[in-house]
Amino acid sequence: MPHTLHEADANQESLREAAERIRLQAQAAAADSERERRLSPELVDALRDSGLMRCGAPGTLGAAQAPPAVSLACAETIARGDAATGWCVSIALTSSLLAAYLPEKGAAETFGDPRAIAAGVWAPRAKARPVEGGVVVSGRWSFCSGITHADHFFGGCVLDDGRGDKDGVPTLRAVGIPAEELRILDTWQTSGLRATGSHDAVAEEVFVPDHRVLALDDGPLIDAPLYRFPIYGYFALSIAAAALGNARGAIDDLMDLAGRKVATGSRRTLAEKATTQAAVGQAEAALRAARAFFYSAIDDAWQAACTADTVGLGLRTGLRLAAAHAARTSAEVVRAMYDLGGGSAVYESSPLQRRFRDATTATAHLQVSPATWETTGRILLGLPTHVAQL
């Protein structure tokens, strides 16, 4: 970790400044990135140099070990320029948290390089069988965002040791695999978030040494506020951060269009119409409210992580509520801006149509799906609920 509070503040300010620079670069490259269905090498280089892609890793590795509000605000800022780039930042910085769950050798191997990037799908889509010195992994993971530029991939597995489940519950692990040892299938032919390159990844009898095997549910090996902050909640928040930035970008795009668009048969610009003014006002209020809840929930949980051994169920519930609400409200805001754009918004030359497609794709993610309302509602009502991954 930084040796002084001043050093920590300087590191965080450096991340914010980098995010603002990359926002502009990502915005300029957005159309090309979408067409190529991956981030450009120049953009990836800028992200590597910024430190943002591993800012959740421990300070002992030379990483920022930044508080959640700082890291997520940076992802949000970049998504304001381009949602897909912000999404890739969210995935990478969340994956970098796993350094705290790995043995020291594994953490150094995967995140010791200052320019390292990791991707991950924690759902147990593969099987791992124990062998001497590690495990052998086979399986296929979908939605591997950022796999086209990642150095390592962390995939969820069911550990098959031949003894069956323990008390009916499978033994789950995540394994860190060099991306070059995976087979990447070109499956990411989608309506939105195309530039995330979220293809499928396949492991075929890949050996993973013990020092790159971790158990998320066993907790981190490093005791620090960042790693006491709920990791599953952090994951949901990372999806919402990209959605919030995309919504802010959609309002930006609409305002730019509204000041110069005059509909056929009209003498007034789009901005001068009362319907536009009301819709923009409502969208601004909705986005500000969702964003305020988002960062308030993060701050509440962060204060608990700084002062207690664990973050309680109520605060973890708040994180999931805030993430789902932010992502889904953001999609509504983007839809409103797209509708206001009218015929101009349907062309590929309009960033609003990309914003709209990206927003609806983001809400398909399990972490911010409508099922969140049922889970959190059961908790609020005091009903028995499975909360291991909340």
Side-chain angles (χ1 to χ4, degrees):
M1 294 184 63
H3 296 296
T4 67
L5 184 60
H6 175 74
E7 185 179 346
D9 290 342
N11 286 345
Q12 292 171 25
E13 186 59 31
S14 175
L15 292 175
R16 293 187 182 97
E17 291 172 354
E20 184 59 33
R21 290 195 305 273
I22 294 171
R23 173 182 75 84
L24 299 175
Q25 184 177 353
Q27 185 171 1
D32 290 339
S33 295
E34 180 174 70
R35 183 169 52 253
E36 296 297 323
R37 293 183 299 124
R38 62 185 300 164
L39 304 186
S40 71
E42 296 79 12
L43 188 52
V44 173
D45 280 342
L47 289 167
R48 289 186 187 277
D49 291 339
S50 72
L52 284 165
M53 304 299 263
R54 64 171 198 136
C55 66
T60 52
L61 295 174
Q65 196 173 325
V70 173
S71 300
L72 294 168
C74 289
E76 179 192 7
T77 294
I78 292 172
R80 184 175 183 176
D82 173 48
T85 309
W87 183 282
C88 287
V89 172
S90 283
I91 295 299
L93 68 87
T94 307
S95 296
S96 72
L97 295 169
L98 299 184
Y101 291 73
L102 286 166
E104 187 175 332
K105 181 179 179 181
E109 203 169 89
T110 51
F111 295 105
D113 185 339
R115 305 182 83 242
I117 297 177
V121 175
W122 302 346
R125 303 302 185 201
K127 286 190 175 181
R129 72 173 191 276
V131 296
E132 184 177 354
V135 296
V136 173
V137 179
S138 293
R140 175 173 173 172
W141 298 269
S142 300
F143 307 109
C144 303
S145 297
I147 192 63
T148 55
H149 55 250
D151 304 300
H152 281 84
F153 173 79
F154 285 90
C157 305
V158 174
L159 185 64
D160 183 8
D161 59 7
R163 290 180 291 183
D165 297 345
K166 183 179 180 181
D167 300 325
V169 179
T171 301
L172 303 182
R173 295 291 184 267
V175 295
I177 303 174
E180 61 189 15
E181 296 182 15
L182 297 168
R183 185 159 57 93
I184 309 304
L185 305 181
D186 188 348
T187 55
W188 194 241
Q189 309 280 348
T190 59
S191 61
L193 293 173
R194 294 174 183 171
T196 62
S198 304
H199 304 292
D200 286 13
V202 178
E204 298 167 326
E205 293 289 290
V206 175
F207 172 74
V208 182
D210 284 330
H211 62 264
R212 281 196 266 114
V213 178
L214 62 95
L216 274 169
D217 291 341
D218 287 352
L221 303 179
I222 297 174
D223 184 24
L226 179 58
Y227 308 118
R228 291 196 292 268
F229 192 92
I231 192 167
Y232 292 111
Y234 198 125
F235 186 21
L237 294 164
S238 73
I239 301 305
L244 285 169
N246 186 50
R248 174 53 61 196
I251 294 177
D252 292 342
D253 294 337
L254 186 281
M255 288 183 170
D256 177 64
L257 176 66
R260 51 188 170 79
K261 179 179 178 178
V262 179
T264 303
S266 176
R267 295 182 178 180
R268 294 183 298 165
T269 64
L270 183 60
E272 292 172 317
K273 294 185 175 182
T275 52
T276 303
Q277 295 156 11
V280 169
Q282 289 175 325
E284 183 69 26
L287 185 58
R288 288 194 194 187
R291 189 174 187 273
F293 178 26
F294 181 81
Y295 284 104
S296 175
I298 291 171
D299 184 62
D300 288 344
W302 178 245
Q303 294 304 317
C306 289
T307 58
D309 292 334
T310 59
V311 177
L313 179 59
L315 293 174
R316 286 184 283 142
T317 302
L319 293 177
R320 297 306 297 272
L321 282 170
H325 179 65
R328 308 199 77 79
T329 299
S330 293
E332 293 169 4
V333 167
V334 174
R335 176 59 185 261
M337 297 302 97
Y338 175 80
D339 286 346
L340 284 175
S344 299
V346 304
Y347 289 93
E348 287 191 356
S349 58
S350 169
L352 280 170
Q353 53 79 28
R354 185 177 63 252
R355 297 283 188 191
F356 175 64
R357 290 185 287 101
D358 289 348
T360 53
T361 301
T363 57
H365 198 287
L366 180 64
Q367 292 290 333
V368 294
S369 72
T372 305
W373 304 132
E374 180 182 349
T375 302
T376 53
R378 288 184 63 86
I379 293 169
L380 294 170
L381 289 165
L383 299 174
T385 308
H386 178 65
V387 296
Q389 296 188 356
L390 191 67

